[in-house]
Amino acid sequence: MKGFKELDLFTTPIEEKKPTLKGISVSQLAEQISYAIRTNFADRTFWVEGEVIDFRGNLIKQHTYFRLVDNASSPSTEKQASISVAAWRDGSERILAFERTTGQKFDNKLRVLILCRVNYDTRHGLSVQLLDVNPMFTVGNLALARERTLERLILEVKGVTLRDGVYQTANRQLKLPVFVTRVALLTAQQSDALHDFQAELSHLVPSFKLSIEHYPVPVQGKSAAERIVDTMRNIVFGKKAELIVIVRGGGSQADLLEFDSFELGRAIALCPIPVLTGIGHERNVSVADLMAFQSVKTPTKAAAFIQQHNLVCLQHVRGLFENTVSSLSRTVEGSLKAGAGLFAPVRVHLQDQHVLVCENGRKVFEEIHREIARSINSRLETAAALLLHIQEAYQLAESRAVARVTRNGIPVESVTQVTAGDELTLHFKDGSVRARIID
C-alpha cells in the first residue's frame, strides 16, 4: 500500500496556479491617450474639408457643435468617417464672420474648409476645436456645383441650351393665355412668401376672375425639391392651372440648395405649363430660375407680374374693340352712301323704260336697305355695349373709391368676414381711415 501511494503521488497531475491579472485604472489609460495626443498633435493645426451635419448650438452664446463628413448627401452618413467639432468663443466669431462675408448661413449640408486643432481632455475625451472657416472655399464650391448641374441639364435634358449667355428651355418657349385666370401657388404653409403674394394681389381688383390655389410644399431641406417636383406632376396631370408659381421668402445660398438641384431644374425645364419663380434671393440666380418661363426676385414681384400681364392684355383687347367699332362705322357709312348712289340710276332706268313694277322695285330696295341698316346697327350696339363693359371694368381696376379693406393688417375681401363691432381700415388712394362696424 505504501508503494501504491508513492506511485500515485508522481502520476497524479498537479493543477498549475494562474498568475493574478492586474489592470490599469481609467485615469491611467486616459493619461496615456492624452500623452499620445500631445506628442503627435501638440501645436499642430489642420485644414479639413467636409460637409456639415447635426449642426446645433447657439453662435451668439458661443457654444456651437456639429459633425463633419465627406458627403452629407449620402444615404448612409452613419457609415462614413466623421469628426465631432466644437466652436467656442473664437470659433463662433469666425463662423459669424463667415456668414457676413458669404451671405450664407452656416448650416447642415454646407461644404466647408475649416482650420482645427485636435484636443483630448481626460474628463471629456477627444474633440476637434474649430479655429477658422475659409469663406472663399464655400462660395467657390457652391458655384462649381451649380455650374456642373447646368452642364448636366444641357447634356441630358431635351431642349435645354445656352445661347448668347441665356438658357433656353421648353418651358421658356411656352405662351401665357391672354388672361391668366387659374394659378397654382407652391410655397410653404403660413409663410411670409404666401402672405406677401396674397397681399400684393389684394391691392388690385382685377376685372376678371383670378383663382389662386395654394399647394403647401417645403422650400428648404432634404426633401424640398422632391416634394415640389411631385406637386408639379400632379398639377400637370390634373390640368389644374394655366401658370405654376414657385415662391419662397429668401435665405442664404445654403437654404436655397434645393433650387439648384438637377431634378427640380429638369422638371421645370420640361413642364408643359409655364413656371414663374420668385425665390427671394437678391444676390444669386438659382438653377430653377434659369429653367423657368420667367423669374422674378420676390413673391411680391411674382404677384405683380401676373397683374401686369392681365392689365396689358386688357388694354390690348380694349384697343382692338375700339378699332373694330371704328372700322364698322366707316364701312356702314360707306355702304349707305354707295347704296343711295346705285339706287338713283336704277330708278331712272326703270322710269325711262316705263316698267310698271318700278314702284314695287323701289319698295324692295328700300326694304333691303332697312334690313341691312338694322343688322349693322344691331352689331354696332352689341360691340358698343361690350366695349362699355370692358371700359367700366378697366376703370374699376384703375381707380376705385376704396382700394382695399383690412382688419388688423389682414385683407378683408367679403362681407361674410365682418361682424358687428369689428374695427376696419379703409385704404384710399390718398390715405386711409379707420371705421367700426355697427350692424
Side-chain angles (χ1 to χ4, degrees):
M1 292 295 289
K2 185 178 181 180
F4 176 79
K5 287 182 180 180
E6 292 175 351
L7 180 64
D8 186 56
L9 176 65
F10 291 100
T11 57
T12 302
I14 300 175
E15 292 184 5
E16 182 180 358
K17 292 185 178 181
K18 297 181 180 180
T20 302
L21 295 177
K22 186 178 181 181
I24 63 174
S25 67
V26 172
S27 60
Q28 287 175 319
L29 177 60
E31 285 294 342
Q32 291 187 33
I33 295 174
S34 179
Y35 175 77
I37 296 293
R38 289 196 307 270
T39 302
N40 291 278
F41 294 96
D43 300 324
R44 295 181 63 187
T45 58
F46 303 87
W47 283 103
V48 181
E49 172 188 344
E51 295 185 8
V52 177
I53 62 172
D54 298 340
F55 183 83
R56 65 193 187 280
N58 191 314
L59 289 172
I60 304 300
K61 294 183 178 180
Q62 301 178 340
H63 292 285
T64 308
Y65 310 91
F66 60 91
R67 286 199 297 145
L68 210 60
V69 297
D70 287 327
N71 183 6
S73 299
S74 172
S76 56
T77 55
E78 296 302 323
K79 296 181 180 180
Q80 297 185 56
S82 69
I83 58 173
S84 298
V85 183
W88 308 119
R89 185 187 65 184
D90 293 342
S92 295
E93 289 178 355
R94 297 311 303 160
I95 291 177
L96 289 172
F98 166 89
E99 292 184 340
R100 289 192 297 269
T101 301
T102 63
Q104 321 301 326
K105 184 180 179 182
F106 194 97
D107 207 346
N108 293 323
K109 296 185 69 175
L110 190 65
R111 192 161 194 85
V112 294
L113 180 65
I114 66 170
L115 180 65
C116 58
R117 177 188 293 122
V118 179
N119 295 325
Y120 183 82
D121 183 87
T122 56
R123 290 178 302 168
H124 301 106
L126 184 69
S127 66
V128 174
Q129 180 184 357
L130 184 143
L131 303 175
D132 200 359
V133 190
N134 187 317
M136 293 303 101
F137 171 85
T138 299
V139 172
N141 269 278
L142 291 174
L144 180 61
R146 178 175 169 276
E147 289 303 316
R148 286 176 176 170
T149 298
L150 290 170
E151 290 174 0
R152 184 182 172 193
L153 286 167
I154 292 175
L155 290 174
E156 299 183 19
V157 180
K158 184 179 180 181
V160 178
T161 59
L162 179 61
R163 299 176 188 170
D164 301 324
V166 178
Y167 286 90
Q168 301 295 331
T169 68
N171 196 258
R172 281 184 175 267
Q173 306 307 314
L174 299 174
K175 301 293 184 183
L176 286 175
V178 175
F179 294 108
V180 176
T181 59
R182 293 181 293 121
V183 175
L185 176 63
L186 278 63
T187 192
Q189 184 74 279
Q190 303 296 329
S191 64
D192 290 341
L194 175 62
H195 176 269
D196 292 347
F197 185 88
Q198 293 175 333
E200 177 65 18
L201 289 180
S202 70
H203 293 169
L204 298 173
V205 179
S207 57
F208 39 83
K209 185 178 180 182
L210 181 59
S211 173
I212 308 292
E213 186 169 357
H214 176 216
Y215 294 83
V217 294
V219 290
Q220 69 182 62
K222 254 183 178 180
S223 63
E226 182 181 354
R227 288 280 301 279
I228 293 173
V229 171
D230 289 343
T231 303
M232 290 175 58
R233 186 181 296 113
N234 292 335
I235 293 170
V236 170
F237 287 161
K239 299 180 180 179
K240 299 177 180 179
E242 299 163 335
L243 177 67
I244 296 175
V245 180
I246 304 174
V247 295
R248 63 155 292 153
S252 70
Q253 188 65 23
D255 290 336
L256 304 177
L257 287 178
E258 292 296 302
F259 291 93
D260 281 337
S261 74
F262 173 81
E263 290 73 17
L264 181 57
R266 177 179 58 186
I268 292 176
L270 298 177
C271 184
I273 299 174
V275 177
L276 171 64
T277 59
I279 306 302
H281 199 277
E282 295 291 342
R283 289 192 179 188
N284 299 317
V285 178
S286 69
V287 170
D289 292 327
L290 295 174
M291 298 296 106
F293 169 82
Q294 180 69 41
S295 67
V296 293
K297 289 296 184 184
T298 64
T300 299
K301 291 181 179 178
F305 173 87
I306 299 172
Q307 289 285 359
Q308 183 64 22
H309 168 81
N310 284 342
L311 289 176
V312 168
C313 291
L314 182 62
Q315 292 172 348
H316 179 66
V317 170
R318 177 188 178 189
L320 289 177
F321 269 100
E322 289 177 346
N323 293 337
T324 301
V325 170
S326 177
S327 177
L328 282 172
S329 298
R330 291 193 299 268
T331 301
V332 170
E333 185 179 353
S335 298
L336 291 175
K337 290 180 179 178
L342 289 172
F343 180 73
V346 170
R347 184 174 60 180
V348 171
H349 176 73
L350 291 175
Q351 289 174 346
D352 290 343
Q353 297 297 321
H354 304 286
V355 179
L356 296 177
V357 295
C358 177
E359 187 62 24
N360 292 334
R362 184 181 65 79
K363 292 180 180 180
V364 169
F365 274 105
E366 288 178 350
E367 184 61 30
I368 292 173
H369 180 276
R370 283 192 296 271
E371 286 297 327
I372 292 175
R374 279 196 297 268
S375 176
I376 292 175
N377 286 335
S378 176
R379 294 184 182 182
L380 282 173
E381 289 173 359
T382 301
L386 183 57
L387 177 59
L388 179 60
H389 174 71
I390 291 177
Q391 286 175 327
E392 290 174 349
Y394 179 75
Q395 290 169 357
L396 176 62
E398 287 189 329
S399 59
R400 54 177 183 159
V402 179
R404 59 193 177 100
V405 180
T406 61
R407 179 179 56 204
N408 297 328
I410 300 175
V412 176
E413 300 178 354
S414 171
V415 293
T416 60
Q417 298 177 256
V418 180
T419 59
D422 284 351
E423 287 192 359
L424 306 180
T425 303
L426 309 181
H427 301 270
F428 298 84
K429 278 195 169 182
D430 56 351
S432 60
V433 295
R434 299 186 66 182
R436 182 186 296 273
I437 301 301
I438 297 175
D439 189 8

